[in-house]
Amino acid sequence: SFNSDFDFVCNVGLFGYLKDGVVQRVHLVDVNITGANFVGGLVGNNWEGTVSDSYSTGSITGNDDVGGLVGINDKAGIVENCNSTCSVTGNYHVGGLVGCNYGDEGTVLDSYSTGSVSGNRRVGGLVGHNHLGTIDKSYSNGSVTGSVLDSVIVGDVVGGLVGWNEGMVSQSYFTGSVSGDNWVGGLVGWNGKTVSRSYSTGSVSGDDWVGGLVGTNGVEGTVNTTYSIGTVTSVTGDEHVGGLVGENLGEDVSISKSFWDTETSLQDYSDGGIGQTPYKMKSFDTFNLAGWKITAVDNSDMRLNKIYKWNIVDIESYPDDATYPFLSWQP
C-alpha cells in the first residue's frame, strides 16, 4: 500500500462513483490522478452504469482497482467504444483501461489502451482482473510490467491484455511487451475460463509459468482458435515456459485450434497448441483446415466479408506481402 495523504481516498476520478448512470462522449486530456482504491481517469467506481465513446490521457496512480479510464467496472457495468493512453501505476487489479471488470455481466467492448501499465499483482494492458465478465473486440499495445512497488517485489499474474481472467475474452489482441515474475502471458497471465479467437504478437518475459499467449491455463481454462508469435523468454528460471501456454492445470483444461510460431517465439515447447514455422503461420490452409472462420484477402487493408472472423494475406498467393491472421473488425 501507499504511504501518502491519498491512502484512504477511494472512488477517485472525474466521476468518483457512477450508479446506474451514463457517461458519454467525455474526453479527458493530461489528467493527473492519485488515490487509494477504485481509481480511474474518468470513473473510479462504475456500478451498473455505462461509459461510452470516451477517452483519457495522462497518468493514474493508485493502490487497488486502478484503471486508465475506469477503476472498477462493477456488476452489470458497461465500457464501450472507449480508450486510454494513460500511464497507470498501482498494486492490485491494475489495467490500462479498467482495473477490475467485476460481475458476470461486466462488459468491455470495442475498446483499447496504449499507455504503459505497472503493478504488483493481476496486472493487464487493458484489464487487470476480468471477474466473470466479457471482453470483446478490444486490444492493448503498451508495455505491461509486474514491477516493484513500495519495495515489495511481486509481479505475479501479468498479461498483455488481461492479468487474471475468470470470464470471456474474445476477438481481442495484444501487440506490446509484457514482463513479470510468475504467471505471465502475452494475452492473459492466468486463464480460468475462456480465451477464444484472439492472438498476441507481443514479447513476453518472466520467470516461471510464462507463455506467448497464456502463462497458466487454470483448472477450467479453455483456449480455442488463437495464436501467438512473440518472443518468450524466462529470465531466471525455466519451469513451465511455452510458446503458446506455459502450463495447463487439471483434466478439464481444453486447448484447440491454436498455434504458435516456433521460430519467432524462440520456443519449441508449449503445454498445448501446435507449433508451426513462419511459413505455415502465414498460410491460409493451416487455419482453414483447423476449422477457423477465415478468408484470404489481397492485402492487409482489405476486409472481404465480415462473416469471417479472420482474414489473412496468404503466403502462397502473395509471398512478399503475406501476413499472420488478423481479425476482421480490427483497424
Side-chain angles (χ1 to χ4, degrees):
S1 63
F2 287 95
N3 294 315
S4 72
D5 295 336
F6 300 98
D7 268 351
F8 303 104
V9 181
C10 299
N11 297 330
V12 183
L14 180 64
F15 300 96
Y17 185 79
L18 178 67
K19 186 177 188 298
D20 296 323
V22 176
V23 174
Q24 201 170 30
R25 293 188 293 275
V26 178
H27 303 162
L28 300 180
V29 179
D30 293 334
V31 300
N32 188 352
I33 296 176
T34 301
N37 304 330
F38 313 127
V39 182
L42 182 59
V43 178
N45 189 333
N46 181 32
W47 180 278
E48 297 185 329
T50 298
V51 179
S52 65
D53 303 296
S54 300
Y55 70 79
S56 61
T57 73
S59 64
I60 311 294
T61 303
N63 192 19
D64 297 346
D65 300 295
V66 185
L69 194 76
V70 176
I72 183 169
N73 191 43
D74 213 342
K75 290 294 183 178
I78 297 172
V79 176
E80 183 175 5
N81 196 29
C82 292
N83 72 83
S84 175
T85 66
C86 287
S87 62
V88 183
T89 304
N91 178 39
Y92 189 70
H93 293 171
V94 185
L97 189 77
V98 176
C100 182
N101 187 37
Y102 194 82
D104 57 3
E105 295 182 8
T107 302
V108 176
L109 175 66
D110 292 325
S111 298
Y112 68 90
S113 59
T114 63
S116 62
V117 182
S118 62
N120 277 340
R121 196 168 181 86
R122 299 190 182 182
V123 182
L126 189 80
V127 176
H129 181 190
N130 184 35
H131 176 263
L132 305 180
T134 297
I135 298 171
D136 189 43
K137 295 180 181 177
S138 298
Y139 72 92
S140 61
N141 63 12
S143 63
V144 184
T145 309
S147 63
V148 178
L149 191 62
D150 283 353
S151 300
V152 178
I153 303 175
V154 185
D156 289 346
V157 194
V158 185
L161 192 81
V162 180
W164 183 287
N165 178 51
E166 297 175 277
M168 165 70 78
V169 176
S170 63
Q171 299 191 75
S172 298
Y173 65 93
F174 173 67
T175 62
S177 63
V178 56
S179 62
D181 294 333
N182 303 313
W183 303 291
V184 183
L187 195 77
V188 176
W190 176 288
N191 177 47
K193 278 297 180 181
T194 304
V195 175
S196 68
R197 292 174 178 164
S198 299
Y199 70 91
S200 172
T201 65
S203 61
V204 186
S205 175
D207 292 342
D208 298 324
W209 300 284
V210 183
L213 190 84
V214 175
T216 293
N217 199 32
V219 175
E220 297 181 357
T222 297
V223 175
N224 68 79
T225 321
T226 65
Y227 78 88
S228 64
I229 65 172
T231 58
V232 180
T233 57
S234 176
V235 179
T236 60
D238 58 4
E239 291 190 19
H240 312 299
V241 178
L244 187 78
V245 176
E247 182 186 28
N248 280 309
L249 300 175
E251 297 180 354
D252 295 330
V253 168
S254 172
I255 297 180
S256 60
K257 303 179 183 179
S258 296
F259 305 88
W260 85 95
D261 191 316
T262 56
E263 291 187 23
T264 59
S265 69
L266 308 180
Q267 296 292 330
D268 292 328
Y269 170 81
S270 171
D271 196 4
I274 300 172
Q276 299 281 16
T277 64
Y279 187 95
K280 288 288 188 180
M281 291 291 291
K282 295 178 180 180
S283 171
F284 168 77
D285 286 344
T286 298
F287 303 97
N288 186 47
L289 292 173
W292 286 33
K293 289 186 176 181
I294 190 169
T295 185
V297 294
D298 293 344
N299 61 73
S300 59
D301 293 328
M302 181 181 291
R303 305 292 187 271
L304 186 63
N305 190 332
K306 290 296 180 71
I307 195 172
Y308 295 100
K309 302 300 182 183
W310 297 92
N311 294 260
I312 190 172
V313 180
D314 185 22
I315 194 169
E316 295 180 10
S317 300
Y318 300 96
D320 296 331
D321 299 313
T323 68
Y324 293 92
F326 54 93
L327 293 160
S328 61
W329 68 263
Q330 75 181 71

